[in-house]
């Protein structure tokens, strides 16, 4: 049976983390869960530690010194997954904007339909976003269109943070050379997979705005994505995207 790991970065998610742990741990998909907490002052990590006795060997926690960026959290998580020989690795948020039930659909897209990367897409079939302000919907939607135009990636939701990777994809990357630290990290990961000729597929999902806790989104996140995408594309014109030896 394949080993599966869900990675969830957290910062001040005490309202959501316990329910998320219980939900993921009880899915039929049978995944392990890695929480990467950036020293949340609200005690998120303590709640995770308390839950570990309930899910021994399946619930894991990595604590970091502070807010070091979403991208760096996932890189740490990816390295952990490869070191522990997981076959499938998922990214998702802690605030239930991503429906944990959809993890099965992302897994099936890779395991049964041959995708190397399965993206939970808000924009593959229209705009499937619930309870977001219209300004934020438009910003997110047109940001993805802009990225697709600049990069040439055949992906509708380029900034999506709900993703399943086959471990061989992550093994083929030089993870230390992923440059972006914030939400543009999501764009760079998909772009790198695309340039390495991995099969990137989209699975339509419904994205629901968080009910509890505070959003971490801000204008600088979109600024990084807007200007960073141009430099990423320009660098790609002079760069060879060669895969690491996936059997190493």
């Amino acid at each position: 049976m394949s080993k599966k790991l869900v990675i969830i970065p957290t910062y001040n998610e005490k309202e959501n983390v316990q329910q998320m742990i219980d939900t993921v741990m009880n899915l039929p998909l049978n995944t392990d869960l890695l929480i990467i907490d950036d020293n949340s002052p609200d005690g998120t990590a303590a709640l995770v530690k308390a839950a570990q006795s309930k899910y021994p060997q399946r619930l894991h926690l990595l604590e970091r010194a502070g807010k070091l960026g979403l991208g760096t959290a996932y890189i740490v998580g990816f390295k952990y997954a490869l070191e522990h020989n997981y076959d499938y690795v998922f990214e998702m948020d802690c605030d239930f904007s991503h429906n944990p039930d959809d993890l099965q659909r992302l897994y099936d897209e890779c395991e049964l339909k041959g995708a190397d990367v399965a993206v939970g897409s808000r924009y593959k079939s229209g705009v499937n976003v619930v309870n977001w302000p219209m300004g934020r919907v438009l910003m997110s939607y047109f940001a993805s269109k802009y990225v697709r135009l600049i990069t040439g990636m055949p992906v509708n939701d380029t900034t999506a943070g709900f993703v399943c990777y086959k471990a061989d994809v992550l093994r083929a990357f030089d993870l230390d050379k992923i440059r972006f630290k914030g939400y543009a990290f999501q764009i760079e990961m998909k772009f790198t997979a695309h340039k390495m000729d991995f099969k990137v597929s989209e699975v339509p999902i419904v994205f629901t705005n968080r009910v509890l806790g505070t959003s971490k989104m801000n204008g600088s996140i979109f600024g990084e994505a807007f200007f960073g995408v141009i430099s990423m594309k320009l660098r790609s014109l002079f760069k060879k995207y060669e895969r690491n030896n996936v059997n190493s």
Side-chain angles (χ1 to χ4, degrees):
M1 181 179 293
S2 61
K3 289 182 65 179
K4 300 170 285 289
L5 180 69
V6 176
I7 301 172
I8 301 180
T10 56
Y11 184 77
N12 286 350
E13 290 290 355
K14 68 177 183 180
E15 296 94 345
N16 296 303
V17 71
Q18 183 62 67
Q19 184 181 354
M20 178 58 75
I21 290 169
D22 289 337
T23 301
V24 171
M25 290 289 91
N26 288 288
L27 291 172
L29 187 59
N30 190 30
T31 72
D32 291 353
L33 175 59
L34 172 63
I35 304 290
I36 302 174
D37 186 70
D38 276 2
N39 197 25
S40 298
D42 72 347
T44 297
L47 293 174
V48 178
K49 290 175 183 176
Q52 284 182 305
S53 61
K54 188 176 179 182
Y55 305 106
Q57 310 303 317
R58 294 184 60 208
L59 175 60
H60 311 284
L61 172 67
L62 293 177
E63 295 181 85
R64 304 202 300 171
K67 291 187 73 174
L68 302 174
L70 181 76
T72 64
Y74 275 125
I75 294 297
V76 168
F78 294 158
K79 290 180 177 179
Y80 178 96
L82 296 179
E83 289 166 3
H84 291 81
N85 299 311
Y86 286 95
D87 303 298
Y88 292 91
V89 185
F90 300 83
E91 301 177 356
M92 70 179 297
D93 293 343
C94 192
D95 60 6
F96 287 91
S97 54
H98 303 139
N99 184 345
D101 289 340
D102 287 331
L103 288 166
Q104 182 71 55
R105 298 172 61 225
L106 296 182
Y107 172 73
D108 289 346
E109 189 72 16
C110 291
E111 174 68 9
L112 303 179
K113 298 182 182 180
D116 297 305
V117 181
V119 178
S121 177
R122 298 163 291 185
Y123 308 128
K124 179 176 172 62
S125 56
V127 178
N128 294 305
V129 177
V130 177
N131 293 336
W132 255 10
M134 182 55 65
R136 188 168 170 187
V137 173
L138 293 173
M139 183 180 293
S140 173
Y141 178 78
F142 285 110
S144 279
K145 291 295 185 184
Y146 163 78
V147 173
R148 181 169 178 166
L149 176 67
I150 297 297
T151 64
M153 272 194 294
V155 177
N156 293 288
D157 194 351
T158 56
T159 60
F162 193 23
V163 186
C164 175
Y165 294 94
K166 285 183 176 176
D168 279 350
V169 175
L170 302 176
R171 203 171 282 117
F173 285 21
D174 186 341
L175 293 171
D176 291 326
K177 291 187 177 179
I178 299 297
R179 299 168 70 103
F180 292 128
K181 308 302 183 188
Y183 279 75
F185 162 85
Q186 302 290 4
I187 301 169
E188 186 175 6
M189 289 293 294
K190 297 177 187 67
F191 183 68
T192 304
H194 168 66
K195 294 295 287 185
M196 288 185 174
D197 293 323
F198 285 110
K199 181 180 178 183
V200 182
S201 297
E202 290 183 273
V203 176
I205 64 161
V206 175
F207 179 98
T208 305
N209 194 28
R210 69 163 62 234
V211 174
L212 300 173
T214 303
S215 173
K216 314 306 186 293
M217 192 71 69
N218 57 53
S220 65
I221 287 170
F222 284 99
E224 179 194 46
F226 185 88
F227 295 108
V229 165
I230 296 175
S231 63
M232 183 183 72
K233 175 62 176 179
L234 291 174
R235 287 194 307 272
S236 75
L237 300 177
F238 307 97
K239 177 180 178 181
K240 288 186 177 180
Y241 286 82
E242 296 178 343
R243 300 185 187 185
N244 290 335
N245 183 352
V246 297
N247 294 315
S248 60

